[in-house]
């Protein structure tokens, strides 16, 4: 077992673009009231505004003791440069990236990532991703899901009293559609020790499409492919995407568009990492249906 002292401080980098509605909720989910098992002075949150039309207005009541911001204006259409700048600002020994500032964090995400970091010398830590509502946000308009209906859904859920209730009003994102025990397409909340981030060199800024295309997928695959990297997946934790008309979820850029850019950079098709994961954490009752579905998916995959 490792000494907690070398990884007890956590930095979380959050990248935002035109998210006046979504970002305050994201930051509230990362606030000391909502994040369990970690003291307010043991982590910092760095928000990088990637060229929003209006400067971010962060409410005083989000409850983050150590909060720093940086604004890029003008900015590149891709969030890669902004994310890399945020990573360079990070002071923690364990660093996490939430490249989409519209993602709410479950209550044990930070403490779980810190606990997971003790399981390996070179851990790559992630949690599954969900979309708020009954379907993925790529299909939101088909079922009448918009920001107004989502606001009502969140209000009724009581998530701000118990963030785990978000499991009850969400559906797995495409990247987590193979279930908890299947390979994830990307990480929407990637944590690793500083030394691993230094070796990765951050995100590849050649990914230039608005929204970054598959830059986040590429980062996750490269992290999992490092020599000696050990993938750790958090049980019972997740991020939950708020609908905001992003480049991918709104359909402005299709998978084919993004994959073509990936192939032009990597000279081959994208494949999810196939690392065998170690799982750590506890499962709240609201996440049990996802756990059950994931187990069935894994059993069916093994029987093929």
């Amino acid at each position: 077992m490792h000494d907690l002292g070398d990884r007890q401080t956590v930095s979380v980098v959050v990248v935002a673009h035109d998210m006046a509605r979504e970002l305050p909720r994201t930051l509230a989910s990362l606030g000391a009231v909502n994040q369990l098992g970690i003291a307010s002075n043991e982590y910092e949150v760095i928000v990088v505004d990637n060229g929003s039309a209006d400067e971010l207005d962060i409410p005083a009541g989000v409850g983050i003791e150590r909060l720093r911001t940086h604004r890029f204006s003008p900015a590149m259409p891709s969030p890669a440069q902004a994310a890399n700048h945020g990573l360079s600002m990070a002071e923690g020994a364990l660093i996490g990236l939430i490249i989409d500032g519209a993602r709410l964090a479950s209550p044990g995400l930070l403490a779980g990532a810190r606990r997971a970091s003790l399981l390996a010398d070179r851990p790559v830590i992630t949690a599954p991703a969900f979309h708020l509502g009954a379907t993925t946000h790529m299909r939101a308009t088909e079922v009448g899901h918009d920001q107004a209906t989502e606001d009502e859904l969140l209000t009724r859920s009581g998530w701000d009293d118990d963030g785990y209730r978000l499991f009850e009003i969400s559906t797995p994102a495409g990247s987590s559609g193979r279930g908890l025990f299947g390979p994830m397409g990307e990480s929407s909340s990637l944590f690793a020790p500083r030394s691993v981030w230094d070796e990765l060199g951050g995100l590849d800024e050649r990914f230039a499409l608005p929204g970054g295309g598959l830059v986040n997928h590429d980062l996750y695959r490269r992290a999992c492919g490092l020599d000696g990297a050990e993938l750790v997946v958090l049980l019972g934790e997740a991020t939950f995407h708020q609908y905001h008309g992003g480049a991918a979820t709104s359909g402005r850029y299709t998978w084919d568009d993004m994959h073509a850019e990936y192939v032009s950079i990597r000279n081959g098709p994208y494949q999810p990492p196939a690392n065998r994961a170690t799982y750590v954490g506890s499962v709240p009752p609201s996440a049990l249906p996802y756990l059950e579905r994931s187990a069935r998916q894994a059993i069916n995959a093994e029987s093929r």
Side-chain angles (χ1 to χ4, degrees), residues 1-296:
M1 182 66 71
H2 299 267
D3 178 11
L4 181 61
D6 62 349
R7 292 179 186 169
Q8 67 177 351
T9 57
V10 182
S11 294
V12 185
V13 176
V14 178
V15 182
H17 173 75
D18 287 341
M19 294 178 180
R21 166 184 171 268
E22 297 82 17
L23 184 63
R25 280 196 288 241
T26 294
L27 295 180
S29 76
L30 291 168
V33 171
N34 291 314
Q35 283 301 307
L36 307 177
I38 188 167
S40 61
N41 64 350
E42 292 178 333
Y43 71 96
E44 65 171 353
V45 177
I46 299 165
V47 178
V48 184
D49 176 4
N50 193 41
S52 297
D54 298 314
E55 290 195 33
L56 294 176
D57 182 17
I58 298 176
V62 295
I64 299 174
E65 180 178 331
R66 299 173 59 198
L67 176 64
R68 289 186 285 154
T69 62
H70 180 84
R71 175 175 168 81
F72 274 100
S73 184
M76 302 298 291
S78 167
Q81 182 186 45
N84 285 340
H85 185 81
L87 293 169
S88 74
M89 294 173 62
E91 297 177 352
L94 181 68
I95 302 170
L97 174 63
I98 299 176
I99 199 171
D100 184 345
R103 291 191 173 274
L104 298 163
S106 62
L109 184 68
L110 302 190
R114 186 170 67 175
R115 187 179 305 115
S117 74
L118 306 179
L119 300 180
D121 290 319
R122 290 165 59 77
V124 173
I125 304 158
T126 190
F130 287 74
H131 288 185
L132 294 173
T135 189
T136 62
H137 289 169
M138 290 76 168
R139 301 181 54 215
T141 56
E142 298 175 21
V143 298
H145 184 90
D146 57 19
Q147 291 182 333
T149 58
E150 186 173 277
D151 290 343
E152 293 176 7
L153 190 66
L154 285 165
T155 298
R156 292 196 307 268
S157 73
W159 77 272
D160 43 355
D161 291 323
D162 178 2
Y164 289 117
R165 292 175 183 167
L166 292 168
F167 281 105
E168 300 170 355
I169 59 168
S170 301
T171 193
S175 61
S176 296
R178 300 176 185 88
L180 191 60
F181 307 113
M184 293 183 189
E186 66 171 318
S187 170
S188 297
S189 52
L190 183 64
F191 291 81
R194 177 178 297 277
S195 59
V196 172
W197 283 108
D198 289 343
E199 189 171 344
L200 278 171
L203 288 83
D204 190 332
E205 296 182 15
R206 290 178 294 175
F207 287 86
L209 284 175
L214 298 190
V215 67
N216 204 39
H217 297 65
D218 176 72
L219 175 71
Y220 181 51
R221 180 170 177 81
R222 288 191 293 115
C224 289
L226 293 175
D227 288 343
E230 296 187 50
L231 178 62
V232 185
V233 176
L234 302 181
L235 284 169
E237 307 300 336
T239 62
F240 302 87
H241 186 259
Q242 302 170 74
Y243 183 69
H244 65 98
T249 52
S250 67
R252 282 185 286 134
Y253 291 90
T254 66
W255 173 265
D256 289 343
D257 297 328
M258 297 184 291
H259 192 251
E261 182 185 54
Y262 179 90
V263 171
S264 72
I265 294 171
R266 296 291 175 224
N267 298 314
Y270 179 76
Q271 293 290 334
N275 304 53
R276 184 176 294 276
T278 297
Y279 296 87
V280 61
S282 57
V283 182
S286 54
L288 287 174
Y290 176 60
L291 187 66
E292 180 184 21
R293 290 196 303 273
S294 296
R296 293 184 185 281

